[in-house]
Amino acid sequence: MSTPAEMFLKHVANVIAERSTQYGDAPGNMTAIAQRWSATLGREITPAQVVLCLLDLKLARLAHDPAHEDSAVDVCGYAALLRELIEAAKPEGR
């Protein structure tokens, strides 16, 4: 039997898969956002910084309403994406 936390994380995995279908691969999407934000802000923004800022946005929303499930789902998804970006940036063999 799955715990509520395990069920929630399975839901998060499903949402990640759905959003990948809707928006394309997440690392590519974060790269595109980083390029746009870099142009807007006039300084280089990395895909990891985009994810960190999106995490901050969701955490601020959760501070206002801790029960908001969509924000909790997004926090988990962004945390997983941050790990994916960091792993992809590691040199081969590390």
Side-chain angles (χ1 to χ4, degrees), residues 53-83:
C53 289
L54 293 172
L55 274 165
D56 279 341
L57 169 75
K58 294 299 180 170
L59 290 171
R61 289 180 177 175
L62 282 170
H64 175 73
D65 180 5
H68 192 257
E69 184 176 336
D70 183 61
S71 291
V73 167
D74 286 345
V75 165
C76 292
Y78 288 137
L81 175 56
L82 185 59
R83 290 298 315 153

Side-chain angles (χ1 to χ4, degrees), residues 32-44:
I33 293 169
Q35 290 169 346
R36 295 183 62 86
W37 288 6
S38 294
T40 299
L41 297 172
R43 66 188 275 312
E44 185 179 351

Side-chain angles (χ1 to χ4, degrees), residues 83-94:
R83 290 298 315 153
E84 184 177 339
L85 290 171
I86 289 167
E87 290 298 318
K90 285 184 179 177
E92 290 294 321
R94 284 190 150 183

Side-chain angles (χ1 to χ4, degrees), residues 30 33-35 37 45-55:
M30 293 302 124
I33 293 169
Q35 290 169 346
W37 288 6
I45 304 297
T46 68
Q49 288 171 318
V50 170
V51 175
L52 289 170
C53 289
L54 293 172
L55 274 165

